[in-house]
């Protein structure tokens, strides 16, 4: 997936489950750095036991802490619906990305580590920002106080990605990855009876000053996180959380309606992507029509005083309209001089070729343009509480109660 990573700050939170509803759920709250104490509704949990430290940063990264091994070694991981594998790094990894602020797993310190998995060949995990390579092994994994035994994971010995990310690894929550016959952590939890319902859900806060940054619920979803019932759409390709998106549209500076895309491409719903991303010539046309300009770093930017005047971005899914306000699809980020810049959350993924201008011919298609498709990342997921229903191969969207 296309991703940008910054330098997050850590904020650790202790959390528990208490009510009868919560007995089948594992909750991983995604917490922003803050000075206020976190508050949760009483029916969800108390504040005394079963606690998970979590980290988040400026609407860019949402991730939490798991443990591997016996005794447990803690790692921050991104819970990523755009991939399926679990990986952490080995102390033998020589690249700078492996030892710059990242924890590594010390296999000789764990009594439950099993290195004898597969044929010993190297496994490459490819991401938009680079690659992690390593060997497959098995280990006990602890998440929210629950333990999964004999979980397969990649122990990375080479890493050309995530140098600027402050999380230590990735826990993929997709369906299938590049590793043959690999069992994901979520599937292991189901097989071992840790959870009963094959469902998980994400709440992501869009307010950098909020006390809580979000929450991952494993084994169900939280009705207090959304203001309306879920609307479900089927997963079209059960390798990723892929759906069909009807359209993406907005209003141009001149007042005309701009629909830059109607059907054809697959759309992946991805918690590991900072943006709403699409084919470059379509997203460029949309950004320019809305009124963004290209800054010295090559990013689409708008004057922050004009954010409230930005038109809504309309995402069509399953015949329904899911609007986002300008504030919800821009990204506030300090530049190298410390100035806050308002960047577009609509990100371009390069196609092999395309028209490269504001006029999109009606005969263009994914096959003709060799484009990847679209990704609905964190800007969309922070506005719409999303339930990932693994059992029924569907996704549910509902307006978030706080964003």
């Amino acid at each position: 997936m296309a991703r940008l990573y910054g330098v997050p700050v850590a904020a650790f939170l202790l959390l528990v489950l208490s009510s009868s509803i919560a007995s089948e759920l594992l909750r991983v709250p995604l917490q922003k750095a803050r000075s206020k104490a976190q508050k949760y509704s009483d029916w969800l949990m108390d504040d005394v036991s079963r606690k998970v430290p979590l980290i988040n940063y400026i609407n860019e990264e949402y991730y939490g802490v798991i443990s591997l091994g016996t005794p447990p070694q803690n790692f921050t991981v991104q819970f990523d619906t755009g991939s399926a594998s679990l990986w952490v790094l080995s102390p033998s990894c020589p690249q700078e990305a492996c030892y710059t602020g990242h924890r590594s797993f010390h296999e000789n310190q764990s009594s439950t580590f099993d290195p004898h998995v597969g044929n010993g060949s190297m496994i490459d995990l490819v991401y938009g920002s680079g690659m992690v390579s390593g060997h497959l092994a098995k280990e006990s994994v602890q998440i929210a106080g629950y333990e999964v035994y004999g979980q397969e994971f990649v122990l990375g010995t080479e890493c050309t990605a995530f140098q600027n990310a402050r999380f230590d690894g990735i826990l993929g929550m997709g369906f299938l990855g590049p590793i043959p016959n690999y069992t994901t952590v979520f599937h292991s939890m189901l097989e071992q009876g840790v959870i009963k319902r094959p469902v998980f859900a994400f709440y992501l806060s869009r307010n950098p000053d909020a006390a809580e940054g979000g929450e991952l619920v494993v084994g169900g979803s939280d009705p207090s996180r959304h203001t309306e019932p879920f609307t479900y759409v089927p997963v079209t390709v059960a390798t990723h959380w892929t759906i069909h998106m009807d359209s993406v549209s907005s209003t141009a500076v001149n007042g005309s309606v701009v629909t830059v895309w109607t059907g054809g491409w697959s759309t992946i719903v991805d918690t590991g992507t900072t943006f709403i991303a699409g084919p470059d010539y379509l997203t460029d046309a949309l950004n320019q029509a809305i009124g963004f300009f290209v800054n010295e770093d090559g990013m689409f930017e708008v004057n922050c005083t004009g954010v409230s005047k930005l038109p809504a971005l309309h995402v069509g899914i399953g015949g329904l309209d899911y609007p986002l306000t300008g504030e919800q699809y821009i990204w506030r980020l300090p530049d190298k001089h410390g100035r806050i810049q308002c960047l577009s959350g609509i990100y371009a993924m390069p196609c092999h070729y395309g028209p490269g201008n504001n006029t999109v011919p009606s005969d263009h298609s994914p096959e003709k343009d060799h484009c990847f498709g679209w990704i609905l990342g964190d800007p969309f997921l922070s506005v719409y509480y999303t339930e990932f229903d693994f059992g029924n191969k569907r996704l549910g969207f509902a307006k978030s109660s706080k964003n």
Side-chain angles (χ1 to χ4, degrees), residues 280-293:
D280 52 7
Y281 67 92
L282 297 178
T283 56
D284 288 354
L286 181 59
N287 278 315
Q288 291 168 15
I290 289 174
F292 287 96
F293 63 90

Side-chain angles (χ1 to χ4, degrees), residues 295-337:
N295 65 18
E296 61 181 8
D297 297 318
M299 301 290 289
F300 280 100
E301 183 179 348
V302 69
N303 192 310
C304 289
T305 60
V307 169
S308 62
K309 298 178 182 178
L310 289 173
L313 180 70
H314 297 272
V315 178
I317 302 173
L320 298 178
D321 177 37
Y322 293 86
L324 284 75
T325 66
E327 187 63 53
Q328 290 167 337
Y329 66 79
I330 64 103
W331 185 31
R332 296 180 184 270
L333 186 72
D335 64 14
K336 58 186 177 183
H337 305 295

Side-chain angles (χ1 to χ4, degrees), residues 36 69 103 108 112 117 145 168 307 309 328 367 379:
K36 297 188 293 183
R103 299 178 184 89
N108 60 348
T112 49
V117 179
D168 304 313
V307 169
K309 298 178 182 178
Q328 290 167 337
E367 293 78 17

Side-chain angles (χ1 to χ4, degrees), residues 346-374:
I346 306 166
Y347 185 73
M349 293 189 295
C351 298
H352 290 294
Y353 60 90
N357 56 46
N358 292 346
T359 303
V360 181
S362 59
D363 63 345
H364 271 267
S365 67
E367 293 78 17
K368 291 180 180 179
D369 289 340
H370 298 275
C371 298
F372 176 81
W374 287 79

